[in-house]
Amino acid sequence: QSEGYFELHEFRVGEQSFSDISLKWDGDFQKHRVNVDVISPSTTMNIGFTGSCVKDNCEINVDAASFTLQQYGPWQLLNPVQLRVGPGEIKPFRSCWVQEQSDICLSSSWNDSDGWKTEGDPRAPALDALLEILKDVLNKEHLGWNHLAGK
């Protein structure tokens, strides 16, 4: 059992610059709670999740997530999302996001050979923009983590 808090200020990953990122965790690899906050000049994001991992396989319940893009405004995750993460893949999952009276849903997955695959609402330019940022930030050339990022 452990808990901790980690912060980074004023840094770049690829083409993206960030003002702040914070990571707070409680628990261990087998059972944990994590909250991540990210602030950049054009984006803010928050994600909170619980999870459990056995060897290289994790089940993660994203119970809260939100993001704001200057161009598209604030969006929030409508319902919790279950993720199954294994070596080199994130199994297909569905997420729905709301902004005031609007909502959009996407089906997404990731694997090491093909990267991110997302299908969903064609009215989702905000999610497309967020995914492009995440693809750049999570690019394995930047992180060197094969299990985390798409191409």
Side-chain angles (χ1 to χ4, degrees):
Q1 185 78 12
S2 70
E3 62 181 59
Y5 186 76
F6 177 79
E7 285 186 337
L8 283 174
H9 304 283
E10 303 299 329
F11 66 100
R12 292 182 64 82
V13 176
E15 297 297 315
Q16 302 297 325
S17 62
F18 295 90
S19 306
D20 294 288
I21 185 169
S22 66
L23 172 69
K24 182 179 180 181
W25 71 90
D26 182 18
D28 57 26
F29 191 68
Q30 285 80 29
K31 189 172 184 180
H32 49 270
R33 169 101 187 117
V34 177
N35 194 71
V36 179
D37 291 302
V38 177
I39 300 171
S40 77
S42 62
T43 310
T44 60
M45 289 183 278
N46 171 271
I47 185 168
F49 61 90
T50 56
S52 60
C53 300
V54 176
K55 296 187 180 182
D56 287 340
N57 296 297
C58 297
E59 292 195 13
I60 297 171
N61 183 45
V62 179
D63 47 25
S66 63
F67 68 92
T68 301
L69 297 173
Q70 283 180 348
Q71 186 176 357
Y72 300 106
W75 290 84
Q76 290 187 305
L77 186 65
L78 181 61
N79 295 309
V81 173
Q82 293 279 81
L83 300 177
R84 293 182 322 196
V85 180
E89 73 175 333
I90 299 173
K91 303 269 188 199
F93 64 94
R94 184 163 174 81
S95 61
C96 294
W97 299 82
V98 296
Q99 178 190 55
E100 297 176 7
Q101 302 301 315
S102 300
D103 63 78
I104 50 181
C105 295
L106 299 172
S107 296
S108 305
S109 64
W110 174 85
N111 68 54
D112 197 31
S113 60
D114 298 326
W116 284 103
K117 289 186 178 179
T118 303
E119 297 176 354
D121 197 321
R123 302 171 298 129
L127 290 180
D128 288 342
L130 179 65
L131 283 173
E132 287 306 311
I133 291 169
L134 290 175
K135 284 178 188 179
D136 187 39
V137 170
L138 298 178
N139 187 308
K140 61 185 162 187
E141 283 82 28
H142 298 307
L143 295 178
W145 296 352
N146 287 337
H147 292 11
L148 181 61
K151 295 180 179 180

